[in-house]
Amino acid sequence: MSEKIHAVIQQQLKELPQPVLTAEKQEQMLDHIHIAANKYHKRKKWENAMKRVYLGAAAIAALIILSVLGFNQFANENSRSESIPEHSTPSEPGTVSNYIDPPGLTVHQVALNDLYVEIPYQKQDVKITKRTTDKYIFVDIKDKETGKALYTYGESVGHDKEKLVFREIQTKKTKVRLQMFVEIDPIKGFISKVNKTEAGYDPQPNKIEAEVINSGSRSGKFPAGNVELLASVGLNWGNDIQHLYEGYVIGVIKN
């Protein structure tokens, strides 16, 4: 654009009529400005108050969470100190005694302590002995004629309503323990629930393949009269793999 044309445009703009605001319009504009300013200050004041409330609530929530975590940790430490120990050692000889069959069990049910296990043999056809240690009660079931070990079961001592029950299985190279932690009602003779199932190995194979350990109520619901544990495990020793398919059924001996 040339300087001459630019000067002409500037002159035309100067000659345009200037807008005039009446006093009434000016007062209205000032009122709007004051209203807007008041709204802004009120909003900021409300936001600051909400921030303080939020920060206070967050602080209280943090204190509650820390208190709960501290309580849970304390409770967990107490529960761990009184919880059932995992059976991680080979069977101890213990004090051996004759097996005494409590009343009310069938010919296929063998008593441990508060629990019983079901076996495929009739009790009269096998030899049953009992071993007692500080922590566990073991029951050994052997062939009457050959003395060969058929089954070994165990149950933790004490802990009125929480029990560890297990079966020990001797394989070619290791002893496998199929363990189940259960809660029981000894008065009604029911298993309330299964807290955990797991397997232990002594010694530990080079690799455990496809370890699947499941438990379930025989009736399909809890509380249950009988609970079954089923396990499928692959024991890999490098140049030797053994597949194990085992299980057992337990119930509660009524007091």
Side-chain angles (χ1 to χ4, degrees):
M1 181 183 296
S2 66
E3 293 182 0
K4 185 177 180 180
I5 295 175
H6 179 73
V8 171
I9 293 174
Q10 288 291 333
Q11 183 61 34
Q12 290 177 349
L13 289 173
K14 290 179 181 180
E15 293 175 356
L16 289 174
Q18 299 296 321
V20 178
L21 292 177
T22 65
E24 183 180 357
K25 287 290 184 182
Q26 291 180 12
E27 289 179 359
Q28 289 179 354
M29 290 180 66
L30 288 173
D31 289 340
H32 285 302
I33 292 171
H34 290 154
I35 292 171
N38 288 334
K39 287 183 178 180
Y40 173 79
H41 289 303
K42 286 181 180 179
R43 186 173 71 251
K44 293 299 293 183
K45 189 175 180 180
W46 180 84
E47 288 177 354
N48 291 333
M50 288 298 100
K51 284 181 181 179
R52 288 193 294 270
V53 171
Y54 172 78
L55 291 174
I60 294 172
L63 289 174
I64 293 173
I65 291 172
L66 290 174
S67 300
V68 171
L69 289 175
F71 176 79
N72 286 341
Q73 183 177 2
F74 176 76
N76 288 338
E77 287 176 356
N78 285 345
S79 63
R80 282 197 296 270
S81 64
E82 299 177 358
S83 63
I84 299 173
E86 294 184 5
H87 179 46
S88 58
T89 58
S91 295
E92 304 171 44
T95 302
V96 180
S97 60
N98 292 327
Y99 171 80
I100 300 175
D101 204 29
L105 297 186
T106 69
V107 294
H108 293 285
Q109 295 173 347
V110 177
L112 301 175
N113 189 28
D114 292 313
L115 301 171
Y116 67 80
V117 295
E118 294 190 355
I119 62 173
Y121 301 91
Q122 292 193 15
K123 285 179 282 191
Q124 63 186 21
D125 297 331
V126 294
K127 181 181 179 181
I128 305 174
T129 56
K130 193 173 182 179
R131 288 181 287 127
T132 304
T133 68
D134 293 339
K135 295 181 179 179
Y136 307 104
I137 291 176
F138 298 91
V139 169
D140 298 304
I141 303 169
K142 299 179 180 179
D143 186 279
K144 259 187 178 180
E145 297 181 358
T146 64
K148 179 183 177 183
L150 300 173
Y151 300 99
T152 295
Y153 295 96
E155 179 187 329
S156 59
V157 175
H159 305 88
D160 293 339
K161 293 186 178 181
E162 188 180 11
K163 295 291 178 180
L164 164 63
V165 60
F166 53 88
R167 178 183 167 192
E168 294 185 342
I169 303 164
Q170 184 64 56
T171 69
K172 292 183 294 184
K173 296 184 177 182
T174 187
K175 182 177 286 185
V176 181
R177 294 179 300 275
L178 302 178
Q179 305 186 150
M180 182 160 41
F181 294 80
V182 298
E183 290 185 18
I184 67 171
D185 185 336
I187 304 300
K188 296 181 180 180
F190 286 112
I191 298 170
S192 304
K193 62 179 178 178
V194 178
N195 289 330
K196 184 171 66 170
T197 59
E198 63 184 8
Y201 307 92
D202 184 36
Q204 184 83 12
N206 295 358
K207 186 178 180 182
I208 305 297
E209 296 184 348
E211 181 186 89
V212 179
I213 304 171
N214 290 320
S215 65
S217 164
R218 276 288 182 91
S219 63
K221 60 183 181 180
F222 286 92
N226 294 105
V227 169
E228 182 175 34
L229 180 145
L230 295 174
S232 173
V233 180
L235 308 174
N236 189 333
W237 299 95
N239 57 355
D240 185 14
I241 299 178
Q242 181 184 2
H243 294 283
L244 196 67
Y245 305 97
E246 297 288 350
Y248 56 91
V249 177
I250 65 170
V252 179
I253 301 173
K254 291 184 180 180
N255 291 342

